[in-house]
Structures are given as structure tokens and as C-alpha cells.
Amino acid sequence: MAVNRRIVLARRPVGRPRPEDFRLEEVPVPRPGPGEVLVRNLWLSLDPYMRGRMGEGRSYARPVELGEVMVGGTVGQVVEANAPGITAGSFVVGRGGWQEWSVLPAGELRTVDPQAAPLSTALGVLGMPGLTAHVGLRDIARPKPGETLVVAAATGPVGGTVGQLARLAGARVVGIAGGPEKCRLAVERLGFPICLDHRAPDLPGRLRAACPDGIDVYWENVGGGVLEAVLPLLNDFARVPVCGLVAWYNATEPPPGPDRLPALLRLVLTRRLLVQGFIVSDRPEGDFRAEVGALVRDGRLAWLEDVREGLEAAPTALAGLLEGENRGKLLIRLAPLPTA
Amino acid sequence: MAVNRRIVLARRPVGRPRPEDFRLEEVPVPRPGPGEVLVRNLWLSLDPYMRGRMGEGRSYARPVELGEVMVGGTVGQVVEANAPGITAGSFVVGRGGWQEWSVLPAGELRTVDPQAAPLSTALGVLGMPGLTAHVGLRDIARPKPGETLVVAAATGPVGGTVGQLARLAGARVVGIAGGPEKCRLAVERLGFPICLDHRAPDLPGRLRAACPDGIDVYWENVGGGVLEAVLPLLNDFARVPVCGLVAWYNATEPPPGPDRLPALLRLVLTRRLLVQGFIVSDRPEGDFRAEVGALVRDGRLAWLEDVREGLEAAPTALAGLLEGENRGKLLIRLAPLPTA
């Protein structure tokens, strides 16, 4: 009988996730019930939101239970379809989790064409992260030509797409990333006109110099010291889509004072800021697939991937992601792409 | 020669404004130049924003200079008009400042009909505070029938109007005010179904009990402990128009830690909150005058006024306003209404 290797949550992490917080299990490959599909997973997406699901606090989605398979987006190939309209051999994207095989309801899968774009992009620029960039720009950030947009995690799949889409919309884009290598990648591979290293000294001064007209959109991916450098530069009517706060995800207690909450709200008032949290799944896709799909097809939108091999690489890779160790979209290759 | 009594800013206050921060001066009544109008001021409006103008920090408007007349909205009667389309004897609302006589550009005045509503309402429910309530509800708060809206400073001209307009829109409204008398006024005179005293013990527990379905709109007038009680109760997709933060206006330094800024932003993200600062003058009036004017005419919208007599009462009255000592819209009667 075929074996499914899977990783479950063994313990709720305190601070940075450790290997002991996860457990690799071998179980029989499950069989699809009516309306379900058995998928051989090829790619697993690792994303910062997963840290939130490992805690038991209230978030926008229920936590992963102890002993439950870790959640995650996957691309795979249908092996057995017990549902109409979907055939064995086709490729699908869904929420298969941290495992090599998944049984999923057919209605929760989307088929992808491996000829149109590499399959892994269904988890990146053409998947959840790309859609996040698209809807946040469309609904909240709304950059206008000539405005200045600052985005951190500039080599990540959200930040990188935000920067490129905003440039195409005519905005002045300033990227921020951790370390000189990522900054170089953002400029050379993703076309950022400038990318600042938030680990080098005097980010506030360098950011001020890079934004002579202030900041009209700050795309919040990270929180932490980047936010601190951004706040004094925000223009009247600036928009701050709050998409992620990865710098704080491992925090175990509130940082020491002074309490900056009152100062933040005074800034919101006096500069008439719009600060809005959003989650991609709350919002309609609109013309995302048509628009971003065409940009990918025409080579006008680039992306970076950081691929790790094998399911067992996932725990360490996720811990590293939360500390910015990845270079682009972090993916686990669960199995080689089958040859036709 | 007639004398104009006026109050200028003598010193930038530290903390609560004191009498020595102001200076009463007697100067000749000014004469209107071309396009200008001489107005005998009857009512002076006192509003929390004035505290911001007394400091020298960047805000949404330039500070009052030392020696300059304090800014403020006024209603008065035209004595001499040196401009077409405006006649002596008519009543006007404008930004006459803390003085008994003002010369103002005719283009910055709006005439008001003393028969339609009491003149003082042009500084309250039918003036800047009423318009603030209208545009903030229309553009940011957007309360839906059955949603729960919480507003502090419930007896003030903004909070009182917000609560009543939201009720008319079908929302469940919970007021908050300082002290049992104000809470009684909010319920008996302004029709709030419930009003909680933020000075009594356990505001968080009482607010939770008053909002069994959570909070969908928190109209932020005050900051401080009220905000603290509200935050845990905010529902997904709640809106927080940031209209004022009066509890912090006299603050001289940031409060001690822990730093709650990261926790606020995490809440913004996980509950997908909309937090937006706004200033009434940035936004179009729309149908404010027609809509709220009709409600006032029909007796469907109530208001409270707290009238102090004479220009010299203004400094102490403003200091009290910042500590919540007023009961409704705070007004200085500069002169009795002239009899026809």
C-alpha cells in the first residue's frame, strides 16, 4: 500500500518555530470519497501566515489543531477523481497541506495549465501572493502616477509583485529588503529602481533621501523597524494596506515602552491616513487572472523562487522564512514533475 | 472709536492650557478693505482642534503664531459690507476667531437664516461638528442596519450627532460619556438607547455587556481608556473613523510601555479593520444641509449647548473642554442677539 508522508503540528511554538514543533508521519495514502479527488502533491507553498495558524490565539482563520496536518497551498496532479468534470492526470492547485498526497473536495480545486506558465507560479505570482498584491493595490493602495510607494520584503512574492504592478501603474517605487543580496535581486531581477537594505545603518535617513516627496503608499508586509522609518515620511492621505507583519510573528510579549499607539493614532488623524488590514480570500479576484496572466505571458512581470527539496525541509524553511532567509517565493518540491 | 476685544496666543501651552497662555487685548475695530466685510461676532465656537493649533508641531493646519488671534468659528452680524452680494444686517458664519469684531473676506462667509434655526446651531449640529458627523458616517463608518456603533463624547456636538444619525440609519448605538450626568443627558435628550460612564469602574466589562454582537463601528473622538475597552470587541471588518483624540491632546510625552503599536496593527490585520483619519474640510458637503437641516426642522435631531458668557470666559472654557467639563456644544456668547 502506498505511503503518504505528512507533517503535523506537534506542539505550539513559543517564538521561532523549532523542529520539535512538527512531526513527520507516515500513513496510508487516503482514498477519495464521493465528490473528492486524490492528488499527488508536487509543490508546497510556505507563507508567513502559517505562523499565525500554529498559535491558538484568535486570528482570521481557526488554528491548526495539535496532531493535525499543517495547512498550506499545493500544486499537484490528479491521480484519482471521484467527481465529475475533473480527470486523472490534470494539474490542480488547492489547499493540500504539508503532505505528499491529499484528498480534496473537487469544488475546492482549480485546474492549471502547465503550458501557460510553470506550475509553481500557481502558488506565487499567479496564485495567492500575486492575487494579494493585485487586490490590495486595487482596493486599498490605489497608487496614482507620480506617487511614491514603499514596499518591504521586496523580493518576496507579494512585495515583488506589488512593486512591479505599482511601477506599471506609474508610481515611483522604493523597495526594502534584508541584506545586500536581496536588494541586488530586487533591482536586477524585479526591476525596482531602488531597494534599501533595512539591516544597514540609518534606514530612516536613507529612506528619507530615497523619498524626497514623502510616501503616499506604504505596503505593510513586515512591521518592525521598517514601519518606524516609514511613519514620519507618510504624506497626507497616504494609504497603508496592512498585509503582513512578519517581523512580529514570533514575538512572545509586547515590546517595552514607550507606548507608541497614541502617536500612531495622532498621525492617522493629522495626516488623514488610511490604515486597512486585508486578507486576500475576503475579496473578489476581479480581472486578476486576465491581467497578471497576460503580464507573465508577455514577460513584463518577473518573480523569484527559492526552492527546497522534499517535505522534511519544510519546518526549517518556514522558520527561516519568518526571519527573512528566503530569496523569493519559498517552495518545497514534494516530487519531481512527472514526465509525459 | 469703537474697541475690539480679542484674545491672542501669548505662549505655547505645556499640557493643559493655562490662563497665562492667552492675552486679552483691546484694539480699534478694523475697517473692511475691498471685498471684505466687518462682522460683529455673536457666538464663538470652542472645539478640541484648537489645542492642536496652539502647539508648534506639524498638524493638518498651520499653528497659531504667538501674538496672533486664536482661531475659531463664529456667527455674527454684518455691520459694514465692502463686497457685492452681502448686505449689512445679515447673519453670517465664518472663521472670525476669538474676538468681538472681525474683518473677513466676503467669499469665506456663509449667510445663515436666523428664522430657520437658532443662529448658534450654525456652529454645532448645522455647522462644522454636524458636518463632521455626516461626512464621517457617509464616507468611512457606513453603518448598516443592525450593526453596532460605539461613540464616545456622546453629548458633544460630533458624538451626539453621530449617535442620532447612526440610529436613524438603523444601527444599534452605544454612547460613552464622562460622568453620570452626561450619560443621563445622552439618553434623555439625545435618544441614545444606552450610554456608559467611562469614569465608572470596569468600562471594558460594561461595554462588552452592552455590545453582545461586538462592535462594527467605533467612532474615535477620544482615544485613551475608551479605545482600550473598545479594541478587543471590534468585529471583523469594523471601521474606525479617527475624528479626534482629545484624551491625548494635552499629553506632554508618550505614555510608558509596553508598546501597544504592534498589537494594534496585528488587530488591524487579523480583523481586517479600516482605521482612517479625516478632517471635515477635506471632504465635500454633499447633501448635508438638505438632510440634516430637514431633521433639525422636523425635530428629529436634538443637540445640547453649553453656553459661557463673554470673550474672557474662553480660555478657561477651552481648558475645561479638553478635560470633558462641558455639557454639549461649547459656545461663548460674545454679544446678545440684536433685537430687530
Side-chain angles (χ1 to χ4, degrees):
Chain A
M1 195 164 67
V3 163
N4 180 30
R5 298 200 312 150
R6 65 186 193 185
I7 291 178
V8 301
L9 181 64
R11 192 176 70 173
R12 302 213 178 274
V14 178
R16 177 188 164 114
R18 293 158 187 279
E20 312 88 270
D21 300 329
F22 304 88
R23 187 171 62 241
L24 182 68
E25 293 180 344
E26 301 200 348
V27 295
V29 168
R31 300 297 309 275
E36 291 181 337
V37 171
L38 174 65
V39 181
R40 176 71 173 99
N41 296 323
L42 303 171
W43 293 103
L44 166 65
S45 176
L46 294 183
D47 302 275
Y49 75 84
M50 292 168 172
R51 179 63 182 83
R53 302 292 180 88
M54 297 175 77
E56 59 189 340
R58 173 179 166 182
S59 184
Y60 46 81
R62 72 167 186 83
V64 176
E65 300 298 334
L66 293 180
E68 195 178 11
V69 177
M70 281 289 296
V71 292
T74 47
V75 173
Q77 188 169 31
V78 174
V79 172
E80 188 180 348
N82 205 345
I86 193 158
T87 52
S90 60
F91 294 95
V92 291
V93 60
R95 301 196 54 75
W98 292 28
Q99 55 189 340
E100 293 175 340
W101 299 80
S102 302
V103 163
L104 291 162
E108 295 178 11
L109 296 171
R110 186 170 59 77
T111 57
V112 286
D113 175 4
Q115 307 304 320
L119 280 177
S120 61
T121 60
L123 299 173
V125 66
L126 292 175
M128 184 273 283
L131 179 58
T132 299
H134 176 82
V135 302
L137 287 168
R138 177 193 72 197
D139 293 352
I140 302 172
R142 298 190 186 94
K144 290 188 271 288
E147 286 193 331
T148 298
L149 176 145
V150 172
V151 58
T155 55
V158 176
T161 309
V162 164
Q164 293 176 83
L165 292 179
R167 271 198 86 193
L168 290 168
R172 274 195 77 239
V173 171
V174 175
I176 299 180
E181 189 205 338
K182 282 199 211 174
C183 288
R184 186 182 57 74
L185 288 170
V187 171
E188 293 179 5
R189 300 275 303 278
L190 303 180
F192 279 74
I194 182 169
C195 186
L196 304 177
D197 177 1
H198 68 75
R199 292 179 183 157
D202 191 25
L203 178 65
R206 287 179 292 127
L207 187 60
R208 199 180 324 113
C211 303
D213 301 324
I215 297 172
D216 302 294
V217 175
Y218 171 53
W219 185 286
E220 178 61 290
N221 276 329
V222 295
V226 174
L227 175 63
E228 210 161 316
V230 161
L231 287 177
L233 302 175
L234 289 173
N235 289 331
D236 287 351
F237 309 109
R239 286 82 69 198
V240 181
V242 181
C243 178
L245 295 162
V246 68
W248 292 322
Y249 285 175
N250 282 338
T252 51
E253 54 185 31
D259 182 8
R260 297 180 302 155
L261 184 148
L264 175 68
L265 285 173
R266 289 191 72 152
L267 202 69
V268 166
L269 175 59
T270 58
R271 305 208 185 154
R272 293 85 108 198
L273 306 180
L274 168 71
V275 179
Q276 187 167 12
F278 77 105
I279 305 292
V280 61
S281 51
D282 295 331
R283 293 171 180 273
E285 285 197 6
D287 51 9
F288 164 68
R289 265 167 226 298
E291 192 176 308
V292 178
L295 291 171
V296 165
R297 213 165 38 240
D298 301 348
R300 299 178 66 200
L301 196 66
W303 64 92
L304 298 168
E305 290 183 349
D306 186 336
V307 175
R308 314 291 168 94
E309 300 294 335
L311 180 66
E312 56 275 28
T316 305
L318 178 64
L321 173 71
L322 295 167
E323 294 177 357
E325 290 168 9
N326 56 308
R327 304 279 177 273
K329 171 65 204 154
L330 185 58
L331 293 162
I332 302 292
R333 196 195 319 261
L334 296 174
L337 185 63
T339 47
Chain B
M1 195 164 68
V3 163
N4 179 29
R5 299 200 311 150
R6 66 187 194 184
I7 290 178
V8 301
L9 181 63
R11 194 177 66 175
R12 301 213 179 275
V14 178
R16 178 187 162 114
R18 294 157 187 281
E20 312 88 89
D21 299 329
F22 304 89
R23 187 171 62 240
L24 182 68
E25 294 180 343
E26 301 200 348
V27 295
V29 168
R31 302 296 311 274
E36 291 183 336
V37 171
L38 174 65
V39 181
R40 176 72 173 101
N41 296 324
L42 303 170
W43 293 103
L44 166 66
S45 176
L46 293 184
D47 301 276
Y49 75 84
M50 292 169 173
R51 180 63 183 84
R53 303 289 179 90
M54 297 176 77
E56 57 189 342
R58 172 179 168 182
S59 182
Y60 46 82
R62 72 168 185 84
V64 176
E65 301 297 334
L66 294 180
E68 195 177 12
V69 177
M70 281 288 296
V71 292
T74 48
V75 173
Q77 189 170 30
V78 174
V79 173
E80 188 180 346
N82 205 346
I86 192 158
T87 53
S90 60
F91 294 95
V92 291
V93 59
R95 301 196 53 77
W98 292 29
Q99 54 190 342
E100 293 175 341
W101 300 80
S102 302
V103 162
L104 291 162
E108 294 179 10
L109 297 170
R110 186 170 58 78
T111 57
V112 286
D113 174 5
Q115 308 303 321
L119 281 177
S120 60
T121 59
L123 299 173
V125 66
L126 292 175
M128 183 272 283
L131 179 59
T132 299
H134 176 82
V135 302
L137 287 168
R138 177 193 72 197
D139 293 352
I140 303 172
R142 298 191 185 94
K144 291 189 268 288
E147 286 193 330
T148 298
L149 175 145
V150 172
V151 58
T155 56
V158 176
T161 309
V162 164
Q164 293 177 81
L165 292 179
R167 271 198 86 193
L168 290 168
R172 273 195 78 241
V173 171
V174 175
I176 298 179
E181 191 206 338
K182 283 201 212 175
C183 289
R184 187 183 56 73
L185 287 171
V187 171
E188 293 180 4
R189 300 277 301 279
L190 303 180
F192 278 76
I194 182 169
C195 186
L196 305 177
D197 178 2
H198 67 77
R199 292 180 183 156
D202 192 25
L203 178 65
R206 287 180 293 127
L207 187 60
R208 199 180 323 113
C211 302
D213 300 325
I215 297 172
D216 301 293
V217 175
Y218 171 53
W219 185 283
E220 177 61 290
N221 277 329
V222 296
V226 174
L227 175 63
E228 210 162 315
V230 162
L231 287 178
L233 302 174
L234 289 173
N235 288 332
D236 285 352
F237 309 108
R239 286 81 69 198
V240 181
V242 181
C243 178
L245 295 162
V246 68
W248 292 323
Y249 285 175
N250 284 337
T252 51
E253 54 186 30
D259 182 8
R260 296 180 302 155
L261 185 149
L264 175 68
L265 285 174
R266 288 191 74 150
L267 202 69
V268 167
L269 175 59
T270 57
R271 304 208 187 154
R272 293 85 108 197
L273 307 181
L274 168 70
V275 179
Q276 186 168 13
F278 77 105
I279 306 292
V280 60
S281 51
D282 295 330
R283 293 172 180 272
E285 285 196 7
D287 52 8
F288 164 66
R289 266 166 226 297
E291 191 175 309
V292 178
L295 292 171
V296 165
R297 214 166 36 239
D298 301 348
R300 299 178 66 200
L301 196 67
W303 65 92
L304 298 168
E305 290 182 350
D306 186 335
V307 175
R308 313 293 167 91
E309 299 294 335
L311 181 66
E312 55 275 28
T316 305
L318 178 63
L321 173 70
L322 295 168
E323 294 177 358
E325 290 167 8
N326 55 307
R327 303 279 177 276
K329 171 66 204 155
L330 185 57
L331 294 162
I332 303 293
R333 196 195 318 261
L334 296 174
L337 185 62
T339 48

